[in-house]
mmCIF file of all heavy atoms in Angstrom:
data_model
loop_
_atom_site.group_PDB
_atom_site.id
_atom_site.type_symbol
_atom_site.label_atom_id
_atom_site.label_comp_id
_atom_site.label_asym_id
_atom_site.label_seq_id
_atom_site.Cartn_x
_atom_site.Cartn_y
_atom_site.Cartn_z
ATOM 1 N N TYR R 176 -0.226 -6.145 -1.811
ATOM 2 C CA TYR R 176 -0.237 -4.955 -2.596
ATOM 3 C C TYR R 176 -1.585 -4.348 -2.713
ATOM 4 O O TYR R 176 -2.620 -5.165 -3.036
ATOM 5 C CB TYR R 176 0.370 -5.243 -4.108
ATOM 6 C CG TYR R 176 1.733 -5.810 -4.039
ATOM 7 C CD1 TYR R 176 2.005 -7.154 -3.863
ATOM 8 C CD2 TYR R 176 2.823 -4.923 -3.948
ATOM 9 C CE1 TYR R 176 3.306 -7.693 -3.751
ATOM 10 C CE2 TYR R 176 4.135 -5.413 -3.963
ATOM 11 C CZ TYR R 176 4.369 -6.748 -3.787
ATOM 12 O OH TYR R 176 5.477 -7.273 -3.728
ATOM 13 N N ALA R 177 -1.717 -3.103 -2.675
ATOM 14 C CA ALA R 177 -2.957 -2.335 -2.875
ATOM 15 C C ALA R 177 -2.930 -1.866 -4.259
ATOM 16 O O ALA R 177 -1.903 -1.508 -4.952
ATOM 17 C CB ALA R 177 -3.128 -1.158 -1.919
ATOM 18 N N ILE R 178 -4.106 -1.909 -4.880
ATOM 19 C CA ILE R 178 -4.273 -1.628 -6.437
ATOM 20 C C ILE R 178 -5.309 -0.493 -6.691
ATOM 21 O O ILE R 178 -6.279 -0.532 -6.071
ATOM 22 C CB ILE R 178 -4.616 -2.782 -7.239
ATOM 23 C CG1 ILE R 178 -3.651 -3.958 -6.933
ATOM 24 C CG2 ILE R 178 -4.665 -2.466 -8.725
ATOM 25 C CD1 ILE R 178 -4.049 -5.240 -7.577
ATOM 26 N N GLN R 179 -4.883 0.552 -7.362
ATOM 27 C CA GLN R 179 -5.770 1.560 -7.979
ATOM 28 C C GLN R 179 -5.709 1.566 -9.430
ATOM 29 O O GLN R 179 -4.663 1.324 -10.033
ATOM 30 C CB GLN R 179 -5.386 2.823 -7.401
ATOM 31 C CG GLN R 179 -5.684 3.052 -5.875
ATOM 32 C CD GLN R 179 -5.313 4.442 -5.402
ATOM 33 O OE1 GLN R 179 -4.102 4.720 -5.174
ATOM 34 N NE2 GLN R 179 -6.203 5.390 -5.394
ATOM 35 N N THR R 180 -6.874 1.853 -10.080
ATOM 36 C CA THR R 180 -6.907 1.764 -11.564
ATOM 37 C C THR R 180 -7.477 3.022 -12.115
ATOM 38 O O THR R 180 -8.248 3.696 -11.367
ATOM 39 C CB THR R 180 -7.823 0.510 -12.087
ATOM 40 O OG1 THR R 180 -9.117 0.793 -11.522
ATOM 41 C CG2 THR R 180 -7.182 -0.686 -11.536
ATOM 42 N N GLN R 181 -7.234 3.476 -13.387
ATOM 43 C CA GLN R 181 -7.599 4.595 -13.997
ATOM 44 C C GLN R 181 -7.792 4.251 -15.494
ATOM 45 O O GLN R 181 -6.731 3.957 -16.064
ATOM 46 C CB GLN R 181 -6.872 5.791 -13.860
ATOM 47 C CG GLN R 181 -7.266 7.030 -14.522
ATOM 48 C CD GLN R 181 -8.584 7.414 -14.011
ATOM 49 O OE1 GLN R 181 -8.931 7.447 -12.951
ATOM 50 N NE2 GLN R 181 -9.378 7.893 -15.136
ATOM 51 N N ASP R 182 -8.921 4.307 -16.047
ATOM 52 C CA ASP R 182 -9.133 4.040 -17.504
ATOM 53 C C ASP R 182 -8.945 5.366 -18.274
ATOM 54 O O ASP R 182 -9.181 6.446 -17.695
ATOM 55 C CB ASP R 182 -10.443 3.446 -17.816
ATOM 56 C CG ASP R 182 -10.814 2.085 -17.199
ATOM 57 O OD1 ASP R 182 -9.712 1.387 -17.019
ATOM 58 O OD2 ASP R 182 -11.839 1.726 -16.978
ATOM 59 N N TYR R 183 -8.444 5.211 -19.592
ATOM 60 C CA TYR R 183 -8.275 6.412 -20.333
ATOM 61 C C TYR R 183 -8.644 5.939 -21.800
ATOM 62 O O TYR R 183 -8.592 4.839 -22.219
ATOM 63 C CB TYR R 183 -6.853 6.912 -20.256
ATOM 64 C CG TYR R 183 -5.774 5.979 -20.655
ATOM 65 C CD1 TYR R 183 -5.234 6.235 -21.988
ATOM 66 C CD2 TYR R 183 -5.192 5.078 -19.749
ATOM 67 C CE1 TYR R 183 -4.199 5.403 -22.468
ATOM 68 C CE2 TYR R 183 -4.204 4.372 -20.245
ATOM 69 C CZ TYR R 183 -3.671 4.337 -21.519
ATOM 70 O OH TYR R 183 -2.690 3.488 -21.826
ATOM 71 N N HIS R 184 -8.804 6.974 -22.676
ATOM 72 C CA HIS R 184 -9.169 6.781 -24.039
ATOM 73 C C HIS R 184 -8.248 7.561 -24.956
ATOM 74 O O HIS R 184 -8.086 8.798 -24.739
ATOM 75 C CB HIS R 184 -10.635 7.224 -24.325
ATOM 76 C CG HIS R 184 -11.609 6.386 -23.487
ATOM 77 N ND1 HIS R 184 -12.129 5.132 -23.819
ATOM 78 C CD2 HIS R 184 -12.166 6.652 -22.290
ATOM 79 C CE1 HIS R 184 -12.958 4.780 -22.955
ATOM 80 N NE2 HIS R 184 -12.979 5.658 -21.945
ATOM 81 N N PHE R 185 -7.730 6.907 -26.086
ATOM 82 C CA PHE R 185 -6.886 7.522 -27.012
ATOM 83 C C PHE R 185 -7.747 8.141 -28.097
ATOM 84 O O PHE R 185 -9.026 7.856 -28.277
ATOM 85 C CB PHE R 185 -5.972 6.530 -27.665
ATOM 86 C CG PHE R 185 -4.972 6.085 -26.770
ATOM 87 C CD1 PHE R 185 -5.057 4.849 -26.060
ATOM 88 C CD2 PHE R 185 -3.784 6.855 -26.523
ATOM 89 C CE1 PHE R 185 -4.157 4.440 -25.157
ATOM 90 C CE2 PHE R 185 -2.793 6.383 -25.708
ATOM 91 C CZ PHE R 185 -2.944 5.125 -24.950
ATOM 92 N N PRO R 186 -7.218 9.159 -28.677
ATOM 93 C CA PRO R 186 -8.074 9.763 -29.889
ATOM 94 C C PRO R 186 -8.536 8.888 -30.942
ATOM 95 O O PRO R 186 -9.639 9.134 -31.506
ATOM 96 C CB PRO R 186 -7.054 10.839 -30.426
ATOM 97 C CG PRO R 186 -6.079 11.162 -29.289
ATOM 98 C CD PRO R 186 -5.996 9.869 -28.581
ATOM 99 N N ASP R 187 -7.803 7.862 -31.198
ATOM 100 C CA ASP R 187 -8.306 6.834 -32.123
ATOM 101 C C ASP R 187 -9.378 5.942 -31.683
ATOM 102 O O ASP R 187 -9.800 5.030 -32.359
ATOM 103 C CB ASP R 187 -7.140 6.102 -32.729
ATOM 104 C CG ASP R 187 -6.429 5.253 -31.663
ATOM 105 O OD1 ASP R 187 -6.877 5.240 -30.443
ATOM 106 O OD2 ASP R 187 -5.378 4.505 -31.952
ATOM 107 N N GLY R 188 -9.856 6.144 -30.536
ATOM 108 C CA GLY R 188 -10.852 5.336 -29.887
ATOM 109 C C GLY R 188 -10.384 4.130 -29.034
ATOM 110 O O GLY R 188 -11.297 3.401 -28.561
ATOM 111 N N THR R 189 -9.262 3.789 -29.071
ATOM 112 C CA THR R 189 -8.663 2.634 -28.285
ATOM 113 C C THR R 189 -8.769 3.027 -26.687
ATOM 114 O O THR R 189 -8.699 4.140 -26.456
ATOM 115 C CB THR R 189 -7.265 2.237 -28.617
ATOM 116 O OG1 THR R 189 -6.465 3.391 -28.433
ATOM 117 C CG2 THR R 189 -7.221 1.791 -30.123
ATOM 118 N N VAL R 190 -8.721 1.929 -25.973
ATOM 119 C CA VAL R 190 -8.972 2.105 -24.579
ATOM 120 C C VAL R 190 -7.647 1.495 -23.836
ATOM 121 O O VAL R 190 -7.187 0.476 -24.249
ATOM 122 C CB VAL R 190 -10.243 1.383 -24.032
ATOM 123 C CG1 VAL R 190 -10.265 1.486 -22.481
ATOM 124 C CG2 VAL R 190 -11.406 1.913 -24.760
ATOM 125 N N GLY R 191 -7.319 2.240 -22.811
ATOM 126 C CA GLY R 191 -6.180 1.800 -21.935
ATOM 127 C C GLY R 191 -6.523 1.889 -20.532
ATOM 128 O O GLY R 191 -7.456 2.519 -20.062
ATOM 129 N N THR R 192 -5.589 1.319 -19.698
ATOM 130 C CA THR R 192 -5.783 1.290 -18.319
ATOM 131 C C THR R 192 -4.401 1.439 -17.546
ATOM 132 O O THR R 192 -3.490 0.907 -17.968
ATOM 133 C CB THR R 192 -6.392 0.075 -17.688
ATOM 134 O OG1 THR R 192 -7.674 -0.103 -18.405
ATOM 135 C CG2 THR R 192 -6.667 0.163 -16.209
ATOM 136 N N VAL R 193 -4.460 2.244 -16.609
ATOM 137 C CA VAL R 193 -3.210 2.532 -15.689
ATOM 138 C C VAL R 193 -3.474 1.923 -14.324
ATOM 139 O O VAL R 193 -4.531 2.074 -13.759
ATOM 140 C CB VAL R 193 -2.909 4.167 -15.484
ATOM 141 C CG1 VAL R 193 -1.687 4.147 -14.614
ATOM 142 C CG2 VAL R 193 -2.741 4.754 -16.888
ATOM 143 N N TYR R 194 -2.581 1.035 -13.927
ATOM 144 C CA TYR R 194 -2.699 0.336 -12.656
ATOM 145 C C TYR R 194 -1.475 0.827 -11.727
ATOM 146 O O TYR R 194 -0.388 0.924 -12.155
ATOM 147 C CB TYR R 194 -2.438 -1.150 -12.747
ATOM 148 C CG TYR R 194 -3.566 -1.730 -13.612
ATOM 149 C CD1 TYR R 194 -3.339 -1.860 -15.022
ATOM 150 C CD2 TYR R 194 -4.922 -2.246 -13.144
ATOM 151 C CE1 TYR R 194 -4.394 -2.499 -15.849
ATOM 152 C CE2 TYR R 194 -5.729 -2.795 -13.883
ATOM 153 C CZ TYR R 194 -5.534 -2.871 -15.305
ATOM 154 O OH TYR R 194 -6.490 -3.443 -16.020
ATOM 155 N N LEU R 195 -1.894 1.208 -10.522
ATOM 156 C CA LEU R 195 -0.915 1.598 -9.489
ATOM 157 C C LEU R 195 -0.907 0.461 -8.408
ATOM 158 O O LEU R 195 -1.879 0.347 -7.753
ATOM 159 C CB LEU R 195 -1.337 3.105 -8.915
ATOM 160 C CG LEU R 195 -0.435 3.489 -7.776
ATOM 161 C CD1 LEU R 195 0.924 3.704 -8.202
ATOM 162 C CD2 LEU R 195 -1.043 4.786 -7.130
ATOM 163 N N PHE R 196 0.231 0.012 -8.195
ATOM 164 C CA PHE R 196 0.428 -1.118 -7.138
ATOM 165 C C PHE R 196 1.264 -0.355 -6.020
ATOM 166 O O PHE R 196 2.253 0.193 -6.296
ATOM 167 C CB PHE R 196 1.137 -2.260 -7.702
ATOM 168 C CG PHE R 196 0.407 -2.944 -8.734
ATOM 169 C CD1 PHE R 196 0.459 -2.570 -10.200
ATOM 170 C CD2 PHE R 196 -0.379 -4.054 -8.414
ATOM 171 C CE1 PHE R 196 -0.345 -3.164 -11.067
ATOM 172 C CE2 PHE R 196 -1.053 -4.781 -9.321
ATOM 173 C CZ PHE R 196 -1.053 -4.391 -10.783
ATOM 174 N N THR R 197 0.760 -0.695 -4.695
ATOM 175 C CA THR R 197 1.581 -0.100 -3.666
ATOM 176 C C THR R 197 1.774 -1.283 -2.649
ATOM 177 O O THR R 197 0.749 -1.930 -2.298
ATOM 178 C CB THR R 197 0.824 0.984 -2.910
ATOM 179 O OG1 THR R 197 0.521 2.050 -3.848
ATOM 180 C CG2 THR R 197 1.638 1.512 -1.734
ATOM 181 N N ASP R 198 3.058 -1.491 -2.158
ATOM 182 C CA ASP R 198 3.327 -2.557 -1.190
ATOM 183 C C ASP R 198 2.880 -2.068 0.210
ATOM 184 O O ASP R 198 3.379 -1.180 0.822
ATOM 185 C CB ASP R 198 4.838 -2.728 -1.267
ATOM 186 C CG ASP R 198 5.188 -3.927 -0.385
ATOM 187 O OD1 ASP R 198 4.318 -4.583 0.185
ATOM 188 O OD2 ASP R 198 6.373 -4.316 -0.385
ATOM 189 N N THR R 199 1.913 -2.914 0.669
ATOM 190 C CA THR R 199 1.371 -2.718 2.056
ATOM 191 C C THR R 199 1.721 -3.827 2.996
ATOM 192 O O THR R 199 0.996 -3.985 4.064
ATOM 193 C CB THR R 199 -0.171 -2.431 2.000
ATOM 194 O OG1 THR R 199 -0.820 -3.544 1.390
ATOM 195 C CG2 THR R 199 -0.476 -1.149 1.268
ATOM 196 N N SER R 200 2.692 -4.573 2.651
ATOM 197 C CA SER R 200 2.911 -5.768 3.462
ATOM 198 C C SER R 200 3.228 -5.480 4.939
ATOM 199 O O SER R 200 2.770 -6.239 5.851
ATOM 200 C CB SER R 200 4.233 -6.539 2.793
ATOM 201 O OG SER R 200 3.777 -6.920 1.486
ATOM 202 N N PRO R 201 4.128 -4.518 5.189
ATOM 203 C CA PRO R 201 4.433 -4.338 6.686
ATOM 204 C C PRO R 201 3.104 -4.027 7.514
ATOM 205 O O PRO R 201 2.885 -4.494 8.644
ATOM 206 C CB PRO R 201 5.301 -3.072 6.695
ATOM 207 C CG PRO R 201 5.949 -3.263 5.478
ATOM 208 C CD PRO R 201 4.933 -3.617 4.349
ATOM 209 N N LEU R 202 2.188 -3.211 6.888
ATOM 210 C CA LEU R 202 0.960 -2.733 7.554
ATOM 211 C C LEU R 202 0.048 -4.030 7.506
ATOM 212 O O LEU R 202 -0.578 -4.221 8.538
ATOM 213 C CB LEU R 202 0.420 -1.653 6.839
ATOM 214 C CG LEU R 202 -0.818 -0.966 7.556
ATOM 215 C CD1 LEU R 202 -0.276 -0.478 8.911
ATOM 216 C CD2 LEU R 202 -1.519 0.086 6.721
ATOM 217 N N ALA R 203 0.138 -4.705 6.551
ATOM 218 C CA ALA R 203 -0.844 -5.955 6.423
ATOM 219 C C ALA R 203 -0.463 -7.058 7.480
ATOM 220 O O ALA R 203 -1.252 -7.601 8.006
ATOM 221 C CB ALA R 203 -0.768 -6.441 5.118
ATOM 222 N N HIS R 204 0.925 -7.155 7.692
ATOM 223 C CA HIS R 204 1.376 -8.153 8.665
ATOM 224 C C HIS R 204 1.166 -7.641 10.088
ATOM 225 O O HIS R 204 0.972 -8.404 11.085
ATOM 226 C CB HIS R 204 2.954 -8.420 8.456
ATOM 227 C CG HIS R 204 3.125 -9.242 7.256
ATOM 228 N ND1 HIS R 204 2.797 -10.588 7.214
ATOM 229 C CD2 HIS R 204 3.677 -8.996 6.134
ATOM 230 C CE1 HIS R 204 3.114 -11.172 6.151
ATOM 231 N NE2 HIS R 204 3.875 -10.213 5.387
ATOM 232 N N PHE R 205 1.235 -6.309 10.195
ATOM 233 C CA PHE R 205 1.161 -5.734 11.559
ATOM 234 C C PHE R 205 -0.393 -5.612 12.067
ATOM 235 O O PHE R 205 -0.578 -6.019 13.198
ATOM 236 C CB PHE R 205 1.671 -4.325 11.530
ATOM 237 C CG PHE R 205 1.469 -3.476 12.826
ATOM 238 C CD1 PHE R 205 2.258 -3.831 13.949
ATOM 239 C CD2 PHE R 205 0.615 -2.482 12.943
ATOM 240 C CE1 PHE R 205 1.986 -3.105 15.133
ATOM 241 C CE2 PHE R 205 0.450 -1.726 14.027
ATOM 242 C CZ PHE R 205 1.208 -2.073 15.160
ATOM 243 N N MET R 206 -1.252 -5.329 11.136
ATOM 244 C CA MET R 206 -2.730 -5.081 11.519
ATOM 245 C C MET R 206 -3.315 -6.405 12.138
ATOM 246 O O MET R 206 -4.131 -6.292 13.028
ATOM 247 C CB MET R 206 -3.370 -4.573 10.441
ATOM 248 C CG MET R 206 -3.151 -3.056 10.193
ATOM 249 S SD MET R 206 -3.160 -2.038 11.658
ATOM 250 C CE MET R 206 -2.531 -0.444 11.104
ATOM 251 N N PRO R 207 -3.167 -7.559 11.391
ATOM 252 C CA PRO R 207 -3.918 -8.817 11.970
ATOM 253 C C PRO R 207 -3.449 -9.128 13.337
ATOM 254 O O PRO R 207 -4.221 -9.707 14.109
ATOM 255 C CB PRO R 207 -3.414 -9.870 11.018
ATOM 256 C CG PRO R 207 -3.130 -9.156 9.738
ATOM 257 C CD PRO R 207 -2.460 -7.873 10.172
ATOM 258 N N LYS R 208 -2.271 -8.773 13.815
ATOM 259 C CA LYS R 208 -1.960 -9.069 15.237
ATOM 260 C C LYS R 208 -2.281 -7.933 16.160
ATOM 261 O O LYS R 208 -2.575 -8.046 17.281
ATOM 262 C CB LYS R 208 -0.436 -9.240 15.406
ATOM 263 C CG LYS R 208 0.115 -10.608 14.598
ATOM 264 C CD LYS R 208 1.531 -10.727 14.763
ATOM 265 C CE LYS R 208 2.345 -9.731 14.113
ATOM 266 N NZ LYS R 208 3.803 -9.936 14.179
ATOM 267 N N PHE R 209 -2.195 -6.644 15.619
ATOM 268 C CA PHE R 209 -2.473 -5.513 16.429
ATOM 269 C C PHE R 209 -4.004 -5.243 16.683
ATOM 270 O O PHE R 209 -4.330 -5.080 17.833
ATOM 271 C CB PHE R 209 -1.727 -4.272 15.693
ATOM 272 C CG PHE R 209 -2.004 -2.923 16.447
ATOM 273 C CD1 PHE R 209 -1.274 -2.710 17.628
ATOM 274 C CD2 PHE R 209 -2.858 -1.988 16.159
ATOM 275 C CE1 PHE R 209 -1.368 -1.627 18.282
ATOM 276 C CE2 PHE R 209 -3.034 -0.855 16.752
ATOM 277 C CZ PHE R 209 -2.180 -0.593 17.881
ATOM 278 N N PHE R 210 -4.760 -5.322 15.656
ATOM 279 C CA PHE R 210 -6.116 -4.985 15.830
ATOM 280 C C PHE R 210 -6.990 -5.952 16.829
ATOM 281 O O PHE R 210 -7.766 -5.485 17.597
ATOM 282 C CB PHE R 210 -6.856 -4.783 14.543
ATOM 283 C CG PHE R 210 -6.636 -3.510 13.958
ATOM 284 C CD1 PHE R 210 -5.839 -3.153 12.846
ATOM 285 C CD2 PHE R 210 -7.263 -2.251 14.520
ATOM 286 C CE1 PHE R 210 -5.631 -1.865 12.439
ATOM 287 C CE2 PHE R 210 -7.135 -1.059 13.958
ATOM 288 C CZ PHE R 210 -6.303 -0.882 12.890
ATOM 289 N N PRO R 211 -6.699 -7.189 16.808
ATOM 290 C CA PRO R 211 -7.552 -7.976 17.802
ATOM 291 C C PRO R 211 -7.228 -7.560 19.259
ATOM 292 O O PRO R 211 -8.052 -7.651 20.031
ATOM 293 C CB PRO R 211 -6.957 -9.436 17.349
ATOM 294 C CG PRO R 211 -6.733 -9.344 16.015
ATOM 295 C CD PRO R 211 -6.094 -7.965 15.826
ATOM 296 N N LEU R 212 -5.871 -7.413 19.343
ATOM 297 C CA LEU R 212 -5.572 -6.911 20.786
ATOM 298 C C LEU R 212 -6.129 -5.614 21.032
ATOM 299 O O LEU R 212 -6.534 -5.276 22.286
ATOM 300 C CB LEU R 212 -4.014 -6.843 20.940
ATOM 301 C CG LEU R 212 -3.334 -8.224 20.912
ATOM 302 C CD1 LEU R 212 -1.864 -8.071 20.926
ATOM 303 C CD2 LEU R 212 -3.706 -9.122 22.051
ATOM 304 N N VAL R 213 -6.158 -4.598 20.068
ATOM 305 C CA VAL R 213 -6.871 -3.296 20.333
ATOM 306 C C VAL R 213 -8.296 -3.538 20.738
ATOM 307 O O VAL R 213 -8.929 -3.013 21.615
ATOM 308 C CB VAL R 213 -6.694 -2.455 19.081
ATOM 309 C CG1 VAL R 213 -7.504 -1.177 19.267
ATOM 310 C CG2 VAL R 213 -5.160 -2.004 18.957
ATOM 311 N N LEU R 214 -8.962 -4.482 19.896
ATOM 312 C CA LEU R 214 -10.293 -4.707 20.157
ATOM 313 C C LEU R 214 -10.526 -5.401 21.584
ATOM 314 O O LEU R 214 -11.503 -4.993 22.270
ATOM 315 C CB LEU R 214 -10.990 -5.649 19.120
ATOM 316 C CG LEU R 214 -12.409 -6.044 19.252
ATOM 317 C CD1 LEU R 214 -13.205 -4.772 19.168
ATOM 318 C CD2 LEU R 214 -12.790 -7.047 18.179
ATOM 319 N N LEU R 215 -9.628 -6.181 21.914
ATOM 320 C CA LEU R 215 -9.661 -6.853 23.224
ATOM 321 C C LEU R 215 -9.583 -5.907 24.263
ATOM 322 O O LEU R 215 -10.220 -5.856 25.458
ATOM 323 C CB LEU R 215 -8.706 -8.085 23.349
ATOM 324 C CG LEU R 215 -8.621 -8.708 24.765
ATOM 325 C CD1 LEU R 215 -9.996 -9.526 24.998
ATOM 326 C CD2 LEU R 215 -7.479 -9.816 24.735
ATOM 327 N N SER R 216 -8.548 -5.072 24.179
ATOM 328 C CA SER R 216 -8.346 -3.955 25.252
ATOM 329 C C SER R 216 -9.518 -3.035 25.329
ATOM 330 O O SER R 216 -9.844 -2.567 26.401
ATOM 331 C CB SER R 216 -7.046 -3.189 24.820
ATOM 332 O OG SER R 216 -7.237 -2.396 23.656
ATOM 333 N N LEU R 217 -10.221 -2.680 24.196
ATOM 334 C CA LEU R 217 -11.349 -1.934 24.294
ATOM 335 C C LEU R 217 -12.473 -2.584 24.989
ATOM 336 O O LEU R 217 -13.047 -1.798 25.995
ATOM 337 C CB LEU R 217 -11.809 -1.588 22.812
ATOM 338 C CG LEU R 217 -13.099 -0.652 22.769
ATOM 339 C CD1 LEU R 217 -12.994 0.622 23.331
ATOM 340 C CD2 LEU R 217 -13.572 -0.648 21.261
#
């Protein structure tokens, strides 16, 4: 999962955070096998 964050502030001075999670599993499984072969072919 790839993660992005964004902090924000409420009028009363409290702090919060928004986290965005994105599933990158297919790409993450594909790239470790693909890129070494690409590098080798290069």
